[in-house]
Amino acid sequence: MNELVKGSIDLIRQLNYGLVYASLEEHRELSRTDLSRLTGLSPASITKITRELLDNELVVPCGESSVGRGRRQTLLRINERRYQFLSMRLGRGYVDMALFDLSGQSLARHRHQFSPDERLQLLDSLVTAIRRFLPSKGVRLACIALCLPGQVERHSGMVRHFPYYDLRNWPLGPTLEEHFAVPVLVSGDVRTWIQAEREWGAAKDCADAVLVFVHNDIGVGMVVNGQLIESESAMLGDLSHLQLEPYGQRCYCGGFGCACTLVTNQALEAQYRELQSRMPQSDLPEQLTIRELCELALEGNPLCVQLLQQAAGRLARVLANLICLLNPGKLLLGGELTRADRLLFPMLHQSLASQLPSDYLNRLQIESTRFYEDPTKPTSVQVHKALRDGSLLLGLLRGHDEEPRG
């Protein structure tokens, strides 16, 4: 019982500190009286919390209020330069890295391409790339946030499966925490991207939205009635193994005709190679990346348009199930395939119209995700969330990273 009471008190303290931080983040400058009114916390609690934030320089005074005839009050704001955080996306043979301050302003960024040798020891190579990227002086690193196209356990940071590298039970989060001695927030990229779209992007004013990310697997992030659908299971939101063709290609999962064998980047690139090999007189190259395939489709190349049409029909079968289940107001698509959205979206609409009642489609908007070209920005939403719920904030207040890190 004592442990339960202590745990409850600790959680309340965390939430209260996060509430104060979130209020300052939203309103920029507030007095203690304003904070008490907005948060519902007592003046004594506000005084205690703000004193600790001031002592740690997470909050600084920024002037005085001049409203009313009473005593002038000190205004407080977040010291956005006090700490920095590293935001990353680990992709196909590369990692995008960006250093942000607490306001979300990018201070430095870099893309590191992994050599074939580096890919064999990916975790060690990633640690080395981070050390090279971080400035040698003047950085107070609050945390590291990282997303990747794979299955991630939400709290442990363990990667259950990273398809492109075929890594399983990969201790990404724990290893980075050991090397850099800061909290590490690891997530599947679809989960972070739907949060970012809900916070800053295309789903900001939409209570029911679905994001489908087509890469080397097919991931789904869902917002229902304004709430992100989450689970401890790393498998939530993975549609890669929805069967589309019972007698199709054998999948690594053991099944046949899974969606990931038909619609993903690797699948479409393989389909192109097979079709191109049957056309010996073709002027097309033997191999194309998915981006090049989309560009040729936009230029009207018949072979690439055919592949895009086929992919749209198969993808629509996946999407139709989601739309029937959730009836979202907005469907966001991410991945290289959306480079041809001018062709792809009309194809999807046409295919969906043959599978769904018109009531589902009348309210549905299909758009591309807004953050595909800036993959580190969605990852940073994890940090802002951890500050606002107080979990990361209390870690900083306990004295983590008092000295600049190199």
Side-chain angles (χ1 to χ4, degrees):
M1 179 62 71
N2 289 338
E3 291 182 0
L4 180 61
V5 172
K6 183 179 184 300
S8 299
I9 292 173
D10 289 344
L11 178 59
I12 291 170
R13 180 172 181 263
Q14 171 191 314
L15 295 176
N16 287 346
Y17 276 71
L19 191 58
V20 169
Y21 188 93
S23 298
L24 286 168
E25 185 178 62
E26 180 180 357
H27 296 277
R28 305 293 295 174
E29 298 179 357
L30 292 171
S31 68
R32 291 177 176 85
T33 301
D34 294 330
L35 284 168
S36 181
R37 174 176 52 83
L38 289 168
T39 63
L41 298 175
S42 68
S45 295
I46 292 295
T47 298
K48 179 179 182 300
I49 292 170
T50 55
R51 182 186 296 122
E52 193 168 354
L53 292 173
L54 284 162
D55 289 345
N56 196 261
E57 297 180 39
L58 271 161
V59 165
V60 292
C62 60
E64 293 183 335
S65 63
S66 57
V67 178
R69 299 180 179 180
R71 180 181 176 185
R72 297 172 70 86
Q73 298 187 27
T74 302
L75 294 174
L76 304 174
R77 66 169 177 83
I78 295 170
N79 183 5
E80 296 166 341
R81 300 285 181 173
R82 171 60 170 159
Y83 289 100
Q84 297 79 42
F85 64 88
L86 179 61
S87 180
M88 299 188 290
R89 183 179 186 271
L90 189 57
R92 301 175 67 185
Y94 65 88
V95 60
D96 282 311
M97 300 180 284
L99 190 66
F100 290 92
D101 65 20
L102 295 183
S103 72
Q105 180 180 348
S106 175
L107 306 175
R109 57 178 61 242
H110 174 66
R111 169 173 285 193
H112 177 77
Q113 298 279 354
F114 294 109
S115 69
D117 289 340
E118 285 179 319
R119 297 183 194 190
L120 297 176
Q121 299 293 329
L122 185 62
L123 200 46
D124 291 340
S125 301
L126 180 61
V127 170
T128 300
I130 293 171
R131 292 195 186 281
R132 289 175 179 170
F133 171 70
L134 289 175
S136 58
K137 295 181 180 179
V139 175
R140 293 185 177 92
L141 198 62
C143 69
I144 295 172
L146 187 150
C147 75
L148 54 87
Q151 298 168 6
V152 180
E153 287 187 352
R154 188 157 60 99
H155 289 297
S156 70
M158 289 287 294
V159 178
R160 288 303 171 201
H161 188 209
F162 192 173
Y164 180 72
Y165 295 96
D166 197 24
L167 293 168
R168 297 177 185 273
N169 299 319
W170 194 42
L172 177 59
T175 302
L176 293 182
E177 283 191 0
E178 181 181 348
H179 278 276
F180 295 97
V182 295
V184 176
L185 310 173
V186 186
S187 177
D189 53 7
V190 176
R191 177 176 170 269
T192 61
W193 285 38
I194 188 63
Q195 284 183 289
E197 292 289 356
R198 176 67 178 152
E199 188 88 11
W200 305 309
K204 186 173 183 179
D205 299 318
C206 184
D208 302 292
V210 173
L211 186 148
V212 177
F213 195 85
V214 181
H215 202 67
N216 298 317
D217 53 10
I218 302 175
V220 180
M222 297 163 281
V223 170
V224 177
N225 198 25
Q227 299 297 314
L228 177 70
I229 303 300
E230 296 187 275
S231 169
E232 295 299 322
S233 171
M235 301 295 288
L236 181 69
D238 184 5
L239 292 182
S240 303
H241 304 290
L242 184 67
Q243 190 180 66
L244 296 181
E245 294 185 3
Y247 302 102
Q249 179 184 337
R250 184 71 175 260
C251 178
Y252 67 82
C253 74
F256 291 88
C258 295
C260 65
T261 68
L262 295 166
V263 187
T264 56
N265 292 353
Q266 291 173 323
L268 291 172
E269 289 167 359
Q271 291 163 25
Y272 168 83
R273 291 192 297 269
E274 182 181 353
L275 286 176
Q276 198 278 339
S277 67
R278 299 177 189 172
M279 305 170 63
Q281 304 304 319
S282 172
D283 294 332
L284 293 172
E286 293 183 4
Q287 298 189 50
L288 284 180
T289 65
I290 189 68
R291 292 191 176 204
E292 293 167 336
L293 190 153
C294 289
E295 290 168 3
L296 285 173
L298 289 171
E299 293 172 5
N301 179 269
L303 176 60
C304 295
V305 171
Q306 177 188 341
L307 283 170
L308 195 66
Q309 180 80 57
Q310 185 173 269
R314 289 165 169 168
L315 183 57
R317 291 171 60 189
V318 176
L319 299 179
N321 289 299
L322 274 176
I323 294 168
C324 278
L325 180 64
L326 300 172
N327 191 19
K330 194 161 282 190
L331 174 65
L332 305 175
L333 291 181
E336 284 91 340
L337 201 59
T338 60
R339 288 182 167 271
D341 55 5
R342 180 163 52 86
L343 289 177
L344 178 66
F345 288 0
M347 293 174 179
L348 285 174
H349 272 289
Q350 183 179 13
S351 187
L352 287 170
S354 67
Q355 302 178 57
L356 293 170
S358 59
D359 288 348
Y360 285 97
L361 296 177
N362 287 340
R363 71 185 294 260
L364 181 68
Q365 300 176 50
I366 301 179
E367 298 181 17
S368 295
T369 177
R370 296 187 182 179
F371 296 109
Y372 191 72
E373 297 301 329
D374 184 10
T376 60
K377 183 64 174 179
T379 311
S380 69
V381 79
Q382 300 179 78
V383 181
H384 292 286
K385 181 175 181 292
L387 286 167
R388 291 195 299 263
D389 69 22
S391 55
L392 178 57
L393 191 63
L394 285 188
L396 297 177
L397 292 174
R398 291 188 195 107
H400 293 308
D401 305 294
E402 286 294 334
E403 297 299 323
R405 288 185 173 274

